[in-house]
Amino acid sequence: KKPPWRETRPGTALDGPRILYSRQEAARLLSVSVRTIDRLISTKALAARRIGRNVLIPHVELMKLSRRDVVNV
């Protein structure tokens, strides 16, 4: 079971996408490695926030990055 702060409740502010993601979660969402996420952060291609020991990536930044690399097939 998810910890209470990770549960989503329909009809509340917690419903929908989370605001911040860990490096591992961001990598999983973008289908890349954690090393790639680290490289994007270090080259300033992906904005991240440090909160305590955690490096967290805003949902908005992940969406910007995913829209930027569109390839016409």
Side-chain angles (χ1 to χ4, degrees):
K1 184 175 174 175
K2 291 181 185 178
W5 63 88
R6 291 265 175 117
E7 291 180 6
T8 58
R9 289 179 244 144
T12 68
L14 297 177
D15 191 21
R18 291 183 20 215
I19 296 170
L20 298 169
Y21 293 90
S22 69
R23 293 168 31 246
Q24 294 81 6
E25 291 166 332
R28 203 172 324 118
L29 285 170
L30 296 176
S31 299
V32 298
S33 68
V34 175
R35 178 70 182 114
T36 298
I37 295 294
D38 290 340
R39 194 175 308 117
L40 290 167
I41 292 169
S42 70
T43 60
K44 307 279 191 241
L46 181 63
R49 311 281 186 269
R50 181 174 293 279
I51 299 177
R53 294 182 187 177
N54 299 314
V55 175
L56 300 172
I57 298 111
H59 177 78
V60 172
E61 295 299 325
L62 294 174
M63 293 300 101
K64 284 182 194 175
L65 182 68
S66 67
R67 290 187 186 116
R68 189 180 72 197
D69 294 332
V70 174
V71 177
N72 293 327
V73 177

